[in-house]
Amino acid sequence: MLSPALVLLTLAKPVHAQVQVLCEGTLLEAQGSAERKRATQRLSISLGLEAEAASADAALAELQRRLAAVRSALQDLDVNDLRVSSPSTWQRSAESNRPARITAQLQVSGDLAPERLQRLVRDVGALPGVQLAPVRPQADPIADVAVRRELLRLAYQDALRQGRELAEAIGLSHVRPLQVSVNGGFRPVPMLARAADAAAPPPFDPAELPSPIDRLQLQAQFCAR
């Protein structure tokens, strides 16, 4: 006979139920997709910074001096959300024509207005130890929810159209949705920014950067009869 405590524990155990969606007809699957090009509001930037010396202390000290110059230049550009990683060091082995050296490096990132791209390349990219990484166009985050809602609607309509066309192809007319799973998201296209030559070629034009594009894909199942 079970004890009262064991009875209570047994009764308190949760019950898990699995709901199955039934299709009394033909199961159809379709993949819907939608995308929307958006205006660029900010540029996400990142750069590597390094310094080299005979010892780790000297390399880190030089890295700090270079970081101060980079930070000042970025602040002059009104860079937002400025982030600096912790430094790391590594040793370069000695070679026949030069001794072993210690390299100290870190990463800097943030975002700035598109119209300041040329100044980023000219004023920051030319500083000692700076390696500019691709900039990434960013859209206005305030509109993200509305854009995703629109992409969901368009992607589902795309999948529904395919489901109806497939049902019609096999002689069926009624299509009922059963299940939808969603994936997809923002796909920025990077542009590599490089320091300009002294020969003054045409400036980098932020209008030539690829626009941010939101993409969404979903898988839909339909029951056709």
Side-chain angles (χ1 to χ4, degrees), residues 108-207:
V108 180
S109 61
D111 67 81
L112 83 166
E115 60 269 20
R116 295 189 174 96
L117 174 62
Q118 177 63 18
R119 288 185 57 193
L120 171 74
V121 176
R122 183 190 63 206
D123 299 346
V124 182
L127 292 174
V130 170
Q131 295 179 331
L132 289 177
V135 299
R136 294 181 179 274
Q138 303 288 344
D140 184 359
I142 295 178
D144 285 351
V145 173
V147 171
R148 181 171 175 81
R149 185 181 298 116
E150 179 187 7
L151 292 177
L152 280 170
R153 180 182 61 81
L154 294 175
Y156 177 73
Q157 291 298 323
D158 182 36
L160 180 59
R161 175 187 56 78
Q162 296 179 52
R164 286 172 172 168
E165 289 177 353
L166 183 57
E168 182 180 358
I170 59 178
L172 303 175
S173 58
H174 179 71
V175 175
R176 177 172 62 90
L178 292 178
Q179 180 175 314
V180 177
S181 58
V182 180
N183 53 47
F186 177 60
R187 297 292 186 272
V189 183
M191 170 187 171
L192 185 61
R194 299 183 183 276
D197 291 336
F204 289 99
D205 185 355

Side-chain angles (χ1 to χ4, degrees), residues 2-202:
L2 296 176
S3 66
L6 185 56
V7 170
L8 289 175
L9 288 174
T10 304
L11 293 176
K13 184 177 180 180
V15 177
H16 299 281
Q18 183 175 3
V19 178
Q20 293 184 341
V21 181
L22 300 179
C23 174
E24 297 179 355
T26 301
L27 182 64
L28 304 178
E29 292 186 351
Q31 177 175 291
S33 62
E35 69 176 42
R36 177 178 173 182
K37 183 180 293 186
R38 301 175 62 182
T40 298
Q41 185 187 58
R42 304 285 292 180
L43 296 179
S44 177
I45 65 169
S46 62
L47 60 90
L49 183 63
E50 65 178 35
E52 189 177 79
S55 68
D57 285 345
L60 288 169
E62 178 61 22
L63 186 68
Q64 282 183 291
R65 284 190 288 270
R66 292 183 174 185
L67 176 60
V70 168
R71 185 185 288 115
S72 177
L74 292 177
Q75 288 172 345
D76 288 343
L77 294 178
D78 294 326
V79 170
N80 291 338
D81 196 21
L82 182 63
R83 299 178 298 279
V84 180
S85 72
S86 60
S88 61
T89 59
W90 59 278
Q91 182 173 352
R92 191 192 69 213
S93 302
E95 299 177 0
S96 57
N97 59 343
R98 57 181 181 177
R101 303 281 283 180
I102 301 294
T103 297
Q105 58 188 12
L106 52 77
Q107 301 293 318
V108 180
S109 61
D111 67 81
L112 83 166
E115 60 269 20
R116 295 189 174 96
L117 174 62
Q118 177 63 18
R119 288 185 57 193
L120 171 74
V121 176
R122 183 190 63 206
D123 299 346
V124 182
L127 292 174
V130 170
Q131 295 179 331
L132 289 177
V135 299
R136 294 181 179 274
Q138 303 288 344
D140 184 359
I142 295 178
D144 285 351
V145 173
V147 171
R148 181 171 175 81
R149 185 181 298 116
E150 179 187 7
L151 292 177
L152 280 170
R153 180 182 61 81
L154 294 175
Y156 177 73
Q157 291 298 323
D158 182 36
L160 180 59
R161 175 187 56 78
Q162 296 179 52
R164 286 172 172 168
E165 289 177 353
L166 183 57
E168 182 180 358
I170 59 178
L172 303 175
S173 58
H174 179 71
V175 175
R176 177 172 62 90
L178 292 178
Q179 180 175 314
V180 177
S181 58
V182 180
N183 53 47
F186 177 60
R187 297 292 186 272
V189 183
M191 170 187 171
L192 185 61
R194 299 183 183 276
D197 291 336

